[in-house]
Amino acid sequence: MMLSRRYFCCAGALAGTTATLGRAFAADSCTALTQERQRALGPDDALKELKAGNERFLTQTMRNCNLLEQVRATAGGQFPFAVVIGCIDSRVPPEIVFDQRIGDIFSARIAGNVADDDVVGSAEFATKLAGAKLIVVLGHSECGAVKGAIDGAELGMLTNLLKRIRPAIEASSNAPGDHTSKNNDFVQQVATTNARLAAQGLERASPVLRDLVARNELKIVAAMHDVATGRIMFME
């Protein structure tokens, strides 16, 4: 399924974006974030950095940092600038595909990147209490959880988890072709809709997050990762 023109990728025009972030990232991209640097960021700055990070990943210009030094630097506290709510899929590790390091982002991973109560609570902690300025709900192509939900798979506790993807399937009821996991276009449409609905649901479910967004202290967006290319498309 082709994404609409309001979905923006992080390639091309984002070259050199990191240099424009100034206060938080320009001085030393391998230096662990401090509370002062975290506070200097706005939600749009945080989004630009994740886009620039994916561009570094795509162009194989990822930062080569001393991770043990970052371990030591963050031992006394953490000040991540963003939260990524993603799937457990092994092909979509947020820190790698966004080229982020220890202490940079909170990462919550659950099959199908669904936003259940525990994930919402984790996002409230990460933003209201720990200061993150951005939440990205990151879906991906070829999602096994989405395929299972489409086909009505049942397996232990997974059965209830997959029910949370049903609204995205229902919202895609007018999609052409067979509504099975063998229809790649349908799977992509459901996965994209699932990420978008999860992002919208975070704000709807949480007065804490809703208040932060209203005060322009937080931005919540959905995005899709293409497991064949590594490219991340943002829905803004």
Side-chain angles (χ1 to χ4, degrees):
M1 186 191 83
M2 295 297 293
L3 298 178
S4 72
R5 284 179 291 182
R6 65 188 180 89
Y7 294 6
F8 296 88
C9 74
C10 55
L14 289 172
T17 297
T18 303
T20 70
L21 299 184
R23 293 172 294 179
F25 295 105
D28 184 350
S29 63
C30 284
T31 300
L33 282 172
T34 63
Q35 188 174 52
E36 180 181 12
R37 293 171 68 199
Q38 182 200 56
R39 287 176 174 173
L41 282 169
D44 289 335
D45 295 323
L47 182 57
K48 288 177 181 177
E49 168 54 20
L50 287 190
K51 289 181 176 181
N54 184 239
E55 177 67 11
R56 292 193 298 270
F57 174 73
L58 292 171
T59 57
Q60 300 185 56
T61 56
M62 298 170 72
R63 295 173 295 174
N64 183 18
C65 301
N66 186 328
L67 297 182
L68 285 179
E69 183 176 323
Q70 290 183 325
V71 168
R72 292 188 288 269
T74 57
Q78 59 170 339
F79 304 98
F81 67 90
V83 185
V84 178
I85 299 172
C87 185
I88 63 170
D89 194 288
S90 66
R91 298 166 293 182
V92 198
E95 288 84 356
I96 294 177
V97 297
F98 284 119
D99 189 32
Q100 301 303 314
R101 296 296 181 262
I102 293 171
D104 288 343
I105 63 174
F106 288 105
S107 179
R109 302 186 67 177
I110 182 171
N113 44 272
V114 300
D116 63 12
D117 290 347
D118 293 334
V119 169
V120 174
S122 297
E124 290 174 338
F125 161 77
T127 54
K128 180 67 175 181
L129 298 182
K133 306 298 180 65
L134 172 72
I135 299 175
V136 177
V137 177
L138 182 62
H140 66 94
S141 61
E142 301 295 334
C143 181
V146 168
K147 291 179 179 180
I150 289 172
D151 290 343
E154 295 185 359
L155 176 66
M157 298 294 288
L158 178 63
T159 303
N160 286 330
L161 187 153
L162 295 183
K163 288 180 180 178
R164 292 184 173 273
I165 303 176
R166 292 297 309 175
I169 299 172
E170 294 166 2
S172 305
S173 60
N174 293 327
D178 295 333
H179 290 184
T180 71
S181 64
K182 294 181 179 180
N183 182 344
N184 292 332
D185 288 341
F186 182 63
V187 171
Q188 181 72 9
Q189 179 167 329
V190 173
T192 301
T193 301
N194 182 55
R196 176 174 53 80
L197 292 180
Q200 294 172 352
L202 283 170
E203 188 174 346
R204 185 169 55 251
S206 170
V208 173
L209 299 180
R210 190 160 59 245
D211 180 62
L212 291 172
V213 171
R215 290 191 278 130
N216 295 318
E217 296 177 10
L218 174 68
K219 176 173 283 191
I220 303 175
V221 300
M224 285 293 293
H225 175 268
D226 185 346
V227 299
T229 66
R231 186 175 302 282
I232 293 172
M233 309 285 287
F234 287 85
M235 307 176 216
E236 299 180 66

